[in-house]
Amino acid sequence: MPKKKTGARKKAEKRAVRQKTIRATQSERSLGDMPCNFSMECDKCNNRQKNRAICYFCNTVNKLPVCGNCGKQKCMAKGGDCVVKHTTFATGMAMVGAICDYCEAFICHSRKCLSTHACQCPLADAVCFECERNVYEQGGRYFKCSFCRVFICEDDQFEHQASCQKLDSENYKCGSCNRLGQHSCLRCKVCFCDDHVRRKGVKYARNAALPCPKCGQDTQETKDLSMSTRSVDFGRQRGGDDEDGASKFYYSDAYERAMAKGGGASGGGYEYGATGGDDDDGDYEYDDDDDEDDEDEEDDDEDDD
């Protein structure tokens, strides 16, 4: 029989499980809850912005800065982990130890914050997916899209979220074959079937989301998402199939209305290959007098020679 666990052993195992849960929770922490991405209001111009060492608008320093790693505004420790020793509570610039090059936020003089924040700063490679601006080029906060997990700034977050669940193709078929795609990658905007979502020679964990074969992000089932296909107001649109199985293409109603306003084509959704109606080639009538005029001109040229 295995040896019975002692009380100290049980406590150590429970502590290890609890520490593992805490570390997992910190890694899954939302970007909006990070101290370096807190909302800050400037003392001078009263403009709200991301937590910064220097105001983005008026270039002034706040009286009570917030640490970008631990989020504290007042150092209560009288020695110990502090790099700068102090006997009383430290606030303001007395608490500051550095400025992060990535998030532009103050870092307190704690040894742990100074040694770990630069390596794990969540805004180290933050560039907005829509406007392609980094932390230095805009003053707002940054977020991550809940679908495709890309960085988006505060100005473009709602616009991006509204148009994120849209495929680049005009149907829900797999990008490698003609079957219906059951798995969708919201970063590549492509669907995959059960065969092409799995790569040869790669082992996948059971009951886990399958990664995208192109970018590696976890895919989701198309039926669980509110996915839509690409559509345009002007130009060619997909119009189903004929009886023979051939695809039909037609101009959209918006295009027809725009052309009608400009004096061009008028309504109806013209289809390629449509039969019926008069042909424009038969509108011109051939006249024998034209041949006689051409012959007279040729005779006059010969006489001149």
Side-chain angles (χ1 to χ4, degrees):
M1 291 181 64
K3 294 183 179 180
K4 186 178 181 180
K5 294 182 180 179
T6 60
R9 181 62 179 174
K10 292 180 180 179
K11 290 182 179 179
E13 291 181 353
K14 290 181 179 179
R15 184 171 60 252
V17 173
R18 188 165 57 251
Q19 292 292 336
K20 185 178 180 180
T21 305
I22 293 174
R23 287 193 296 268
T25 304
Q26 290 179 352
S27 62
E28 296 176 358
R29 194 175 179 184
S30 175
L31 184 61
D33 298 335
M34 295 292 181
C36 61
N37 201 32
F38 279 170
S39 179
M40 179 192 78
E41 184 176 352
C42 179
D43 297 335
K44 184 177 181 181
C45 62
N46 296 327
N47 286 324
R48 299 202 65 85
Q49 56 195 292
K50 189 189 76 65
N51 183 18
R52 292 176 178 274
I54 302 174
C55 177
Y56 181 80
F57 301 97
C58 61
N59 295 329
T60 58
V61 180
N62 279 4
K63 296 180 181 179
L64 296 175
V66 178
C67 177
N69 188 69
C70 60
K72 66 182 179 183
Q73 200 171 16
K74 183 178 183 180
C75 184
M76 307 289 289
K78 299 178 181 180
D81 191 32
C82 297
V83 176
V84 180
K85 305 299 181 182
H86 51 89
T87 56
T88 59
F89 300 149
T91 58
M93 296 303 295
M95 187 196 69
V96 174
I99 298 177
C100 180
D101 291 333
Y102 301 117
C103 60
E104 286 192 336
F106 278 127
I107 308 300
C108 67
H109 56 222
S110 171
R111 190 180 303 274
K112 178 183 177 182
C113 295
L114 291 174
S115 59
T116 60
H117 177 76
C119 299
Q120 59 185 10
C121 180
L123 300 179
D125 53 351
V127 177
C128 179
F129 181 78
E130 296 290 340
C131 60
E132 298 182 354
R133 293 184 298 174
N134 54 18
V135 178
Y136 294 90
E137 296 174 349
Q138 65 98 22
R141 303 167 66 194
Y142 276 89
F143 302 93
K144 276 194 174 182
C145 178
S146 58
F147 302 112
C148 58
R149 308 302 299 170
V150 297
F151 284 103
I152 47 178
C153 65
E154 193 171 4
D155 299 333
D156 299 326
Q157 60 168 331
F158 297 110
E159 181 181 356
H160 176 81
Q161 294 274 10
S163 61
C164 185
Q165 297 187 68
K166 182 180 291 186
L167 298 175
D168 288 339
S169 59
E170 297 179 356
N171 48 44
Y172 296 97
K173 293 183 179 180
C174 176
S176 301
C177 63
N178 205 29
R179 289 187 293 179
L180 185 65
Q182 300 179 2
H183 304 273
S184 298
C185 176
L186 291 172
R187 179 173 293 181
C188 301
K189 303 294 188 292
V190 180
C191 289
F192 297 97
C193 61
D194 288 333
D195 294 338
H196 291 100
V197 74
R198 302 175 185 271
R199 302 177 63 182
K200 294 182 179 179
V202 178
K203 294 183 178 179
Y204 298 98
R206 183 177 295 180
N207 298 329
L210 297 173
C212 174
K214 294 180 64 177
C215 64
Q217 183 187 350
D218 291 343
T219 59
Q220 301 182 37
E221 292 191 11
T222 308
K223 63 181 181 180
D224 296 338
L225 301 172
S226 179
M227 298 293 293
S228 59
T229 56
R230 185 184 63 172
S231 60
V232 292
D233 291 335
F234 298 96
R236 180 178 61 83
Q237 293 285 333
R238 191 81 180 179
D241 296 333
D242 291 332
E243 295 179 357
D244 299 335
S247 299
K248 295 189 301 181
F249 300 99
Y250 61 92
Y251 284 109
S252 62
D253 295 337
Y255 175 80
E256 296 291 346
R257 289 194 297 269
M259 293 296 292
K261 290 180 180 179
S266 59
Y270 178 78
E271 297 185 0
Y272 287 103
T275 59
D278 297 335
D279 192 0
D280 293 339
D281 295 339
D283 293 342
Y284 180 76
E285 296 181 359
Y286 187 79
D287 193 0
D288 295 338
D289 295 338
D290 296 338
D291 289 342
E292 294 179 359
D293 294 340
D294 295 338
E295 292 177 0
D296 294 340
E297 291 178 358
E298 292 179 358
D299 295 339
D300 294 339
D301 294 339
E302 291 178 358
D303 295 341
D304 294 338
D305 294 337

